[in-house]
Amino acid sequence: MYDQYGLDGLRGGGGDGGVHGFNAEDLFEHLFGGGAGPSFGFHSGGRRRRRGDDSVNPYDVTLEELYSGKTTKMQIEKTVVCSGCTGTGGKSGTRPKECSRCEGEGVVMTTRAVGSATVGFARVTCPQCKGSGKTYKEKDRCKKCKGEKVTKEKKRIDLEIQPGMPDGHKIVFSGEGDQEPEMAAGDIVFVLSQKPHDAFERAGADLLAHIRITLSEALLGFERVILTHLDGRGIRFDSRREGARKIYKSGDSVIIRGEGMPIWKKEMAGRKSTSEPVARGDLFVVFEVEMPSDDWLETLDVKASR
């Protein structure tokens, strides 16, 4: 507004509507956007939320659980609309009275300060009537919820981690958040947080592992189980497969196809797990050659080697 009208636009010109049609409330709407949080202005009233807040919870998982999948049964506690009064807060046949604190508006005014300077007024939901503008006398309040309109309820849910789900994936239980009268319930969201692993690093559907081999294995070749996979299987590697001969140095790598993570896609969310074959990424193996110690030199017959 300053860029468009200069200081006069901010001063308001002393008129009721301000210069160029801006008044005090327009100024606060312009500066603060009238978005989330308390809305600024100089009159009563305000917009009611139509949906409850989401409950977002981090959930730690191991790489083994993300590889094989896991279903966890858990019990949650949430607020639900009181079944005794269907969310009115009063007994059947009684009528509420106007809230004495907000005078029926559902909101109250409070000052909002930034630093030491008072910016203006904020409209906030009335804590006495919870935004309805009406309250019941104590004798008329619902016995089940004591006039609070909501009660606590425990519910069991199944948290299914499907094989291959990525780190940071959100598992959403739609409409399972806290309930409030005349408002759609929010969601319960679990955000998967992958724990570090001692043997593997993950990059999407691929895995990386560092394997130590002896100097003789690096020079002459070897065939053995080089690591235990996330599902407990031993992964065997033959460096002399198909007659290939290679001297391995530290930092050399091989790719074992199809031994990475299961490939999970968004469209798989919500589906039940099946026994069908699953496409998988690759396993990258980086070799580290163990050099012999100084004591090893003492075991050599130097003359014989000349």
Side-chain angles (χ1 to χ4, degrees), residues 115-167:
S116 60
T118 299
V119 174
F121 298 97
R123 297 189 293 264
V124 297
T125 301
C126 176
Q128 183 167 302
C129 65
K130 307 294 191 297
S132 68
K134 299 181 182 297
T135 58
Y136 285 88
K137 295 179 181 179
E138 187 171 354
K139 66 182 183 66
D140 294 334
R141 292 175 186 170
C142 171
K143 290 184 177 180
K144 185 172 183 178
C145 67
K146 305 296 190 296
E148 294 295 324
K149 304 179 182 180
V150 294
T151 56
K152 292 290 186 180
E153 177 184 86
K154 292 183 179 180
K155 183 176 181 178
R156 296 187 70 86
I157 60 173
D158 292 339
L159 180 63
E160 182 186 9
I161 301 169
Q162 295 179 335
M165 276 186 169
D167 181 30

CSV table of all heavy atoms in Angstrom, one decimal, residues 115-167:
chain,number,residue,atom,x,y,z
A,115,GLY,N,7.4,-7.3,20.2
A,115,GLY,CA,8.4,-6.6,21.0
A,115,GLY,C,7.7,-5.7,22.0
A,115,GLY,O,6.9,-6.2,22.8
A,116,SER,N,8.1,-4.5,22.1
A,116,SER,CA,7.5,-3.6,23.1
A,116,SER,C,6.4,-2.7,22.6
A,116,SER,O,5.8,-1.9,23.3
A,116,SER,CB,8.7,-2.7,23.7
A,116,SER,OG,9.2,-1.9,22.6
A,117,ALA,N,6.1,-2.8,21.3
A,117,ALA,CA,5.1,-2.0,20.6
A,117,ALA,C,3.8,-2.7,20.5
A,117,ALA,O,3.8,-3.8,19.9
A,117,ALA,CB,5.6,-1.4,19.3
A,118,THR,N,2.7,-2.2,20.9
A,118,THR,CA,1.4,-2.8,20.7
A,118,THR,C,1.0,-2.6,19.2
A,118,THR,O,0.9,-1.4,18.8
A,118,THR,CB,0.4,-2.2,21.6
A,118,THR,OG1,0.8,-2.5,23.0
A,118,THR,CG2,-1.0,-2.8,21.4
A,119,VAL,N,0.7,-3.6,18.5
A,119,VAL,CA,0.4,-3.5,17.1
A,119,VAL,C,-1.1,-3.2,16.9
A,119,VAL,O,-1.5,-2.4,16.1
A,119,VAL,CB,0.7,-4.8,16.4
A,119,VAL,CG1,0.2,-4.8,14.9
A,119,VAL,CG2,2.2,-5.0,16.4
A,120,GLY,N,-2.0,-3.9,17.6
A,120,GLY,CA,-3.4,-3.7,17.5
A,120,GLY,C,-4.2,-4.7,18.2
A,120,GLY,O,-3.7,-5.2,19.3
A,121,PHE,N,-5.3,-5.1,17.7
A,121,PHE,CA,-6.2,-6.0,18.4
A,121,PHE,C,-6.3,-7.3,17.6
A,121,PHE,O,-6.2,-7.3,16.3
A,121,PHE,CB,-7.6,-5.4,18.6
A,121,PHE,CG,-7.6,-4.2,19.4
A,121,PHE,CD1,-7.6,-2.9,18.9
A,121,PHE,CD2,-7.6,-4.3,20.8
A,121,PHE,CE1,-7.6,-1.8,19.7
A,121,PHE,CE2,-7.6,-3.2,21.6
A,121,PHE,CZ,-7.6,-1.9,21.0
A,122,ALA,N,-6.5,-8.4,18.3
A,122,ALA,CA,-6.7,-9.7,17.6
A,122,ALA,C,-8.0,-10.3,18.1
A,122,ALA,O,-8.4,-10.2,19.3
A,122,ALA,CB,-5.5,-10.6,17.9
A,123,ARG,N,-8.7,-10.9,17.2
A,123,ARG,CA,-9.9,-11.7,17.5
A,123,ARG,C,-9.5,-13.1,17.8
A,123,ARG,O,-9.0,-13.8,16.9
A,123,ARG,CB,-10.9,-11.6,16.3
A,123,ARG,CG,-11.4,-10.2,16.0
A,123,ARG,CD,-12.6,-10.3,15.0
A,123,ARG,NE,-12.1,-10.8,13.7
A,123,ARG,CZ,-11.8,-10.0,12.7
A,123,ARG,NH1,-11.8,-8.7,12.8
A,123,ARG,NH2,-11.4,-10.5,11.5
A,124,VAL,N,-9.9,-13.6,19.0
A,124,VAL,CA,-9.6,-15.0,19.3
A,124,VAL,C,-10.9,-15.7,19.8
A,124,VAL,O,-11.8,-15.0,20.2
A,124,VAL,CB,-8.6,-15.1,20.4
A,124,VAL,CG1,-7.2,-14.5,20.0
A,124,VAL,CG2,-9.0,-14.4,21.7
A,125,THR,N,-11.0,-17.0,19.6
A,125,THR,CA,-12.2,-17.7,20.0
A,125,THR,C,-12.4,-17.6,21.5
A,125,THR,O,-11.5,-17.7,22.3
A,125,THR,CB,-12.0,-19.2,19.7
A,125,THR,OG1,-11.8,-19.3,18.3
A,125,THR,CG2,-13.2,-20.0,20.1
A,126,CYS,N,-13.6,-17.3,21.9
A,126,CYS,CA,-14.0,-17.1,23.3
A,126,CYS,C,-13.7,-18.4,24.1
A,126,CYS,O,-14.3,-19.5,23.7
A,126,CYS,CB,-15.4,-16.7,23.4
A,126,CYS,SG,-16.0,-16.6,25.1
A,127,PRO,N,-12.9,-18.4,25.1
A,127,PRO,CA,-12.6,-19.6,25.9
A,127,PRO,C,-13.8,-20.1,26.7
A,127,PRO,O,-13.8,-21.2,27.1
A,127,PRO,CB,-11.4,-19.2,26.7
A,127,PRO,CG,-11.6,-17.7,26.9
A,127,PRO,CD,-12.2,-17.2,25.6
A,128,GLN,N,-14.7,-19.2,27.0
A,128,GLN,CA,-15.8,-19.6,27.8
A,128,GLN,C,-16.9,-20.4,27.1
A,128,GLN,O,-17.4,-21.4,27.6
A,128,GLN,CB,-16.5,-18.3,28.5
A,128,GLN,CG,-17.6,-18.6,29.4
A,128,GLN,CD,-18.0,-17.4,30.3
A,128,GLN,OE1,-17.1,-16.8,31.0
A,128,GLN,NE2,-19.2,-17.0,30.2
A,129,CYS,N,-17.2,-20.0,25.9
A,129,CYS,CA,-18.3,-20.7,25.1
A,129,CYS,C,-17.7,-21.5,24.0
A,129,CYS,O,-18.5,-22.1,23.2
A,129,CYS,CB,-19.3,-19.7,24.6
A,129,CYS,SG,-18.6,-18.5,23.4
A,130,LYS,N,-16.4,-21.5,23.8
A,130,LYS,CA,-15.7,-22.3,22.7
A,130,LYS,C,-16.1,-21.8,21.4
A,130,LYS,O,-16.1,-22.5,20.4
A,130,LYS,CB,-15.9,-23.8,22.9
A,130,LYS,CG,-15.6,-24.4,24.2
A,130,LYS,CD,-14.1,-24.3,24.5
A,130,LYS,CE,-13.8,-25.2,25.7
A,130,LYS,NZ,-14.4,-24.7,27.0
A,131,GLY,N,-16.5,-20.5,21.3
A,131,GLY,CA,-16.8,-19.9,20.0
A,131,GLY,C,-18.3,-20.0,19.5
A,131,GLY,O,-18.7,-19.5,18.5
A,132,SER,N,-19.1,-20.7,20.4
A,132,SER,CA,-20.5,-20.8,20.0
A,132,SER,C,-21.4,-19.6,20.3
A,132,SER,O,-22.4,-19.4,19.7
A,132,SER,CB,-21.1,-22.0,20.7
A,132,SER,OG,-21.2,-21.8,22.1
A,133,GLY,N,-20.9,-18.8,21.2
A,133,GLY,CA,-21.6,-17.6,21.6
A,133,GLY,C,-22.7,-17.8,22.7
A,133,GLY,O,-23.4,-16.9,23.1
A,134,LYS,N,-22.8,-19.1,23.1
A,134,LYS,CA,-23.9,-19.5,24.0
A,134,LYS,C,-23.3,-20.4,25.1
A,134,LYS,O,-22.4,-21.2,24.8
A,134,LYS,CB,-25.1,-20.2,23.3
A,134,LYS,CG,-25.7,-19.3,22.3
A,134,LYS,CD,-26.9,-20.0,21.7
A,134,LYS,CE,-27.5,-19.1,20.6
A,134,LYS,NZ,-28.1,-17.8,21.2
A,135,THR,N,-23.8,-20.3,26.3
A,135,THR,CA,-23.4,-21.2,27.4
A,135,THR,C,-24.7,-21.7,28.1
A,135,THR,O,-25.8,-21.1,28.0
A,135,THR,CB,-22.5,-20.5,28.4
A,135,THR,OG1,-23.2,-19.3,28.9
A,135,THR,CG2,-21.2,-20.1,27.7
A,136,TYR,N,-24.5,-22.8,28.9
A,136,TYR,CA,-25.6,-23.3,29.7
A,136,TYR,C,-25.3,-23.0,31.2
A,136,TYR,O,-24.2,-23.0,31.6
A,136,TYR,CB,-25.7,-24.8,29.5
A,136,TYR,CG,-26.3,-25.2,28.2
A,136,TYR,CD1,-25.6,-25.4,27.1
A,136,TYR,CD2,-27.7,-25.5,28.1
A,136,TYR,CE1,-26.1,-25.8,25.9
A,136,TYR,CE2,-28.3,-25.9,26.9
A,136,TYR,CZ,-27.5,-26.0,25.8
A,136,TYR,OH,-28.0,-26.4,24.6
A,137,LYS,N,-26.4,-22.8,31.9
A,137,LYS,CA,-26.3,-22.7,33.4
A,137,LYS,C,-25.8,-24.1,33.9
A,137,LYS,O,-26.0,-25.1,33.3
A,137,LYS,CB,-27.7,-22.4,34.0
A,137,LYS,CG,-28.2,-21.1,33.6
A,137,LYS,CD,-29.6,-20.9,34.3
A,137,LYS,CE,-30.2,-19.5,33.9
A,137,LYS,NZ,-31.5,-19.4,34.5
A,138,GLU,N,-25.1,-24.0,35.0
A,138,GLU,CA,-24.5,-25.2,35.5
A,138,GLU,C,-25.5,-26.4,35.7
A,138,GLU,O,-25.2,-27.5,35.4
A,138,GLU,CB,-23.8,-24.9,36.9
A,138,GLU,CG,-22.9,-26.1,37.4
A,138,GLU,CD,-22.1,-25.7,38.6
A,138,GLU,OE1,-22.0,-24.5,38.9
A,138,GLU,OE2,-21.5,-26.6,39.1
A,139,LYS,N,-26.7,-26.1,36.2
A,139,LYS,CA,-27.7,-27.1,36.4
A,139,LYS,C,-28.2,-27.7,35.1
A,139,LYS,O,-28.8,-28.8,35.0
A,139,LYS,CB,-28.8,-26.6,37.2
A,139,LYS,CG,-29.6,-25.5,36.5
A,139,LYS,CD,-30.7,-25.0,37.5
A,139,LYS,CE,-31.6,-24.0,36.8
A,139,LYS,NZ,-32.4,-24.6,35.7
A,140,ASP,N,-28.0,-27.0,34.0
A,140,ASP,CA,-28.5,-27.4,32.7
A,140,ASP,C,-27.5,-28.1,31.8
A,140,ASP,O,-27.7,-28.5,30.7
A,140,ASP,CB,-29.1,-26.2,31.9
A,140,ASP,CG,-30.3,-25.7,32.6
A,140,ASP,OD1,-31.0,-26.4,33.3
A,140,ASP,OD2,-30.6,-24.5,32.4
A,141,ARG,N,-26.2,-28.2,32.3
A,141,ARG,CA,-25.2,-28.8,31.5
A,141,ARG,C,-25.3,-30.3,31.4
A,141,ARG,O,-25.8,-31.0,32.3
A,141,ARG,CB,-23.8,-28.4,32.1
A,141,ARG,CG,-23.5,-26.9,32.0
A,141,ARG,CD,-22.2,-26.6,32.7
A,141,ARG,NE,-22.0,-25.1,32.8
A,141,ARG,CZ,-21.0,-24.5,33.5
A,141,ARG,NH1,-20.2,-25.3,34.3
A,141,ARG,NH2,-20.9,-23.2,33.4
A,142,CYS,N,-24.8,-30.8,30.3
A,142,CYS,CA,-24.8,-32.3,30.1
A,142,CYS,C,-24.0,-33.0,31.2
A,142,CYS,O,-22.9,-32.6,31.5
A,142,CYS,CB,-24.2,-32.6,28.7
A,142,CYS,SG,-23.9,-34.3,28.4
A,143,LYS,N,-24.5,-34.0,31.7
A,143,LYS,CA,-23.8,-34.8,32.8
A,143,LYS,C,-22.6,-35.5,32.3
A,143,LYS,O,-21.6,-35.7,33.0
A,143,LYS,CB,-24.8,-35.7,33.5
A,143,LYS,CG,-25.9,-35.1,34.3
A,143,LYS,CD,-26.7,-36.1,35.1
A,143,LYS,CE,-27.7,-35.4,36.0
A,143,LYS,NZ,-28.6,-36.5,36.7
A,144,LYS,N,-22.7,-35.9,31.0
A,144,LYS,CA,-21.6,-36.8,30.5
A,144,LYS,C,-20.3,-35.9,30.2
A,144,LYS,O,-19.2,-36.3,30.6
A,144,LYS,CB,-22.0,-37.5,29.2
A,144,LYS,CG,-21.0,-38.4,28.7
A,144,LYS,CD,-21.5,-39.3,27.5
A,144,LYS,CE,-20.5,-40.3,27.1
A,144,LYS,NZ,-21.0,-41.2,26.0
A,145,CYS,N,-20.5,-34.8,29.6
A,145,CYS,CA,-19.4,-34.0,29.2
A,145,CYS,C,-19.2,-32.7,30.1
A,145,CYS,O,-18.2,-31.9,29.9
A,145,CYS,CB,-19.4,-33.5,27.8
A,145,CYS,SG,-20.8,-32.4,27.4
A,146,LYS,N,-20.1,-32.5,31.1
A,146,LYS,CA,-20.0,-31.4,32.0
A,146,LYS,C,-20.0,-30.1,31.2
A,146,LYS,O,-19.4,-29.1,31.6
A,146,LYS,CB,-18.7,-31.4,32.8
A,146,LYS,CG,-18.5,-32.8,33.6
A,146,LYS,CD,-19.6,-32.9,34.6
A,146,LYS,CE,-19.3,-34.1,35.5
A,146,LYS,NZ,-19.3,-35.4,34.8
A,147,GLY,N,-20.8,-30.1,30.1
A,147,GLY,CA,-20.9,-28.8,29.3
A,147,GLY,C,-19.7,-28.6,28.4
A,147,GLY,O,-19.7,-27.5,27.7
A,148,GLU,N,-18.8,-29.5,28.3
A,148,GLU,CA,-17.6,-29.2,27.5
A,148,GLU,C,-17.8,-29.6,26.0
A,148,GLU,O,-17.0,-29.3,25.1
A,148,GLU,CB,-16.4,-30.1,28.0
A,148,GLU,CG,-15.9,-29.6,29.3
A,148,GLU,CD,-15.3,-28.2,29.3
A,148,GLU,OE1,-14.7,-27.9,28.3
A,148,GLU,OE2,-15.5,-27.5,30.3
A,149,LYS,N,-19.0,-30.3,25.7
A,149,LYS,CA,-19.4,-30.7,24.4
A,149,LYS,C,-18.6,-31.8,23.8
A,149,LYS,O,-19.0,-32.4,22.8
A,149,LYS,CB,-19.3,-29.5,23.4
A,149,LYS,CG,-20.1,-28.3,23.8
A,149,LYS,CD,-19.9,-27.1,22.8
A,149,LYS,CE,-20.7,-25.9,23.3
A,149,LYS,NZ,-20.6,-24.8,22.4
A,150,VAL,N,-17.5,-32.2,24.3
A,150,VAL,CA,-16.7,-33.3,23.9
A,150,VAL,C,-16.2,-34.2,25.0
A,150,VAL,O,-16.2,-33.7,26.2
A,150,VAL,CB,-15.4,-32.8,23.1
A,150,VAL,CG1,-15.8,-32.1,21.8
A,150,VAL,CG2,-14.6,-31.9,24.0
A,151,THR,N,-15.9,-35.4,24.7
A,151,THR,CA,-15.4,-36.3,25.7
A,151,THR,C,-14.2,-37.0,25.1
A,151,THR,O,-13.8,-36.9,23.9
A,151,THR,CB,-16.4,-37.4,26.1
A,151,THR,OG1,-16.9,-38.1,24.9
A,151,THR,CG2,-17.6,-36.8,26.7
A,152,LYS,N,-13.5,-37.8,25.9
A,152,LYS,CA,-12.3,-38.5,25.5
A,152,LYS,C,-12.7,-39.9,25.1
A,152,LYS,O,-13.6,-40.5,25.7
A,152,LYS,CB,-11.2,-38.6,26.6
A,152,LYS,CG,-10.6,-37.3,27.0
A,152,LYS,CD,-9.7,-36.8,25.9
A,152,LYS,CE,-8.9,-35.5,26.3
A,152,LYS,NZ,-8.0,-35.1,25.2
A,153,GLU,N,-12.0,-40.4,24.1
A,153,GLU,CA,-12.3,-41.8,23.6
A,153,GLU,C,-11.0,-42.5,23.2
A,153,GLU,O,-10.1,-41.8,22.6
A,153,GLU,CB,-13.3,-41.7,22.4
A,153,GLU,CG,-13.6,-43.1,21.8
A,153,GLU,CD,-14.4,-43.0,20.5
A,153,GLU,OE1,-13.9,-42.8,19.4
A,153,GLU,OE2,-15.7,-43.1,20.6
A,154,LYS,N,-10.9,-43.8,23.5
A,154,LYS,CA,-9.7,-44.5,23.1
A,154,LYS,C,-10.1,-45.4,21.9
A,154,LYS,O,-11.2,-46.0,21.8
A,154,LYS,CB,-9.2,-45.4,24.2
A,154,LYS,CG,-8.6,-44.6,25.3
A,154,LYS,CD,-8.1,-45.5,26.4
A,154,LYS,CE,-7.4,-44.6,27.6
A,154,LYS,NZ,-6.9,-45.5,28.6
A,155,LYS,N,-9.2,-45.5,20.9
A,155,LYS,CA,-9.4,-46.3,19.7
A,155,LYS,C,-8.2,-47.0,19.3
A,155,LYS,O,-7.1,-46.4,19.4
A,155,LYS,CB,-9.9,-45.4,18.6
A,155,LYS,CG,-10.3,-46.1,17.3
A,155,LYS,CD,-10.9,-45.2,16.3
A,155,LYS,CE,-11.2,-45.9,15.0
A,155,LYS,NZ,-11.9,-45.0,14.0
A,156,ARG,N,-8.3,-48.2,18.7
A,156,ARG,CA,-7.2,-49.0,18.2
A,156,ARG,C,-7.1,-48.8,16.7
A,156,ARG,O,-8.1,-48.8,16.0
A,156,ARG,CB,-7.3,-50.4,18.6
A,156,ARG,CG,-7.3,-50.8,20.0
A,156,ARG,CD,-7.3,-52.3,20.3
A,156,ARG,NE,-6.0,-52.8,19.9
A,156,ARG,CZ,-5.0,-52.9,20.7
A,156,ARG,NH1,-5.0,-52.4,21.9
A,156,ARG,NH2,-3.8,-53.4,20.3
A,157,ILE,N,-5.9,-48.5,16.3
A,157,ILE,CA,-5.6,-48.4,14.8
A,157,ILE,C,-4.4,-49.3,14.5
A,157,ILE,O,-3.6,-49.6,15.3
A,157,ILE,CB,-5.3,-46.9,14.4
A,157,ILE,CG1,-4.1,-46.4,15.2
A,157,ILE,CG2,-6.5,-46.0,14.7
A,157,ILE,CD1,-3.6,-45.0,14.7
A,158,ASP,N,-4.4,-49.7,13.2
A,158,ASP,CA,-3.3,-50.5,12.7
A,158,ASP,C,-2.4,-49.6,11.8
A,158,ASP,O,-2.8,-49.1,10.8
A,158,ASP,CB,-3.8,-51.6,11.8
A,158,ASP,CG,-4.5,-52.7,12.7
A,158,ASP,OD1,-4.3,-52.7,13.9
A,158,ASP,OD2,-5.4,-53.4,12.1
A,159,LEU,N,-1.2,-49.4,12.2
A,159,LEU,CA,-0.2,-48.6,11.4
A,159,LEU,C,0.6,-49.6,10.6
A,159,LEU,O,1.4,-50.4,11.1
A,159,LEU,CB,0.7,-47.9,12.4
A,159,LEU,CG,1.8,-47.0,11.7
A,159,LEU,CD1,1.2,-45.9,10.9
A,159,LEU,CD2,2.7,-46.4,12.7
A,160,GLU,N,0.3,-49.6,9.3
A,160,GLU,CA,1.0,-50.5,8.4
A,160,GLU,C,2.1,-49.8,7.6
A,160,GLU,O,1.9,-48.8,6.9
A,160,GLU,CB,0.0,-51.1,7.3
A,160,GLU,CG,0.6,-52.1,6.4
A,160,GLU,CD,-0.3,-52.5,5.3
A,160,GLU,OE1,-1.4,-51.9,5.1
A,160,GLU,OE2,0.1,-53.5,4.5
A,161,ILE,N,3.3,-50.4,7.8
A,161,ILE,CA,4.5,-49.9,7.1
A,161,ILE,C,4.7,-50.9,5.9
A,161,ILE,O,5.0,-52.1,6.2
A,161,ILE,CB,5.7,-49.8,8.0
A,161,ILE,CG1,5.4,-48.9,9.1
A,161,ILE,CG2,6.9,-49.4,7.2
A,161,ILE,CD1,6.5,-48.9,10.2
A,162,GLN,N,4.5,-50.5,4.7
A,162,GLN,CA,4.6,-51.4,3.6
A,162,GLN,C,6.1,-51.5,3.1
A,162,GLN,O,6.8,-50.5,3.3
A,162,GLN,CB,3.7,-50.9,2.4
A,162,GLN,CG,2.3,-50.9,2.7
A,162,GLN,CD,1.4,-50.4,1.6
A,162,GLN,OE1,1.9,-49.6,0.8
A,162,GLN,NE2,0.2,-50.8,1.5
A,163,PRO,N,6.5,-52.6,2.6
A,163,PRO,CA,7.9,-52.8,2.2
A,163,PRO,C,8.3,-51.8,1.2
A,163,PRO,O,7.6,-51.5,0.2
A,163,PRO,CB,7.9,-54.2,1.6
A,163,PRO,CG,6.8,-54.9,2.3
A,163,PRO,CD,5.7,-53.9,2.5
A,164,GLY,N,9.4,-51.1,1.4
A,164,GLY,CA,9.9,-50.1,0.5
A,164,GLY,C,9.5,-48.7,0.7
A,164,GLY,O,9.9,-47.8,0.0
A,165,MET,N,8.6,-48.5,1.7
A,165,MET,CA,8.2,-47.1,1.9
A,165,MET,C,9.4,-46.2,2.2
A,165,MET,O,10.4,-46.6,2.9
A,165,MET,CB,7.2,-47.0,3.1
A,165,MET,CG,5.8,-47.3,2.8
A,165,MET,SD,4.7,-47.1,4.2
A,165,MET,CE,3.1,-47.2,3.4
A,166,PRO,N,9.4,-45.0,1.7
A,166,PRO,CA,10.6,-44.1,1.8
A,166,PRO,C,10.6,-43.4,3.2
A,166,PRO,O,9.6,-43.2,3.9
A,166,PRO,CB,10.4,-43.1,0.7
A,166,PRO,CG,8.9,-43.0,0.5
A,166,PRO,CD,8.4,-44.4,0.8
A,167,ASP,N,11.8,-43.0,3.5
A,167,ASP,CA,12.0,-42.2,4.7
A,167,ASP,C,11.2,-40.9,4.6
A,167,ASP,O,11.3,-40.2,3.5
A,167,ASP,CB,13.5,-41.9,4.9
A,167,ASP,CG,13.8,-41.1,6.1
A,167,ASP,OD1,13.0,-41.2,7.1
A,167,ASP,OD2,14.8,-40.3,6.1
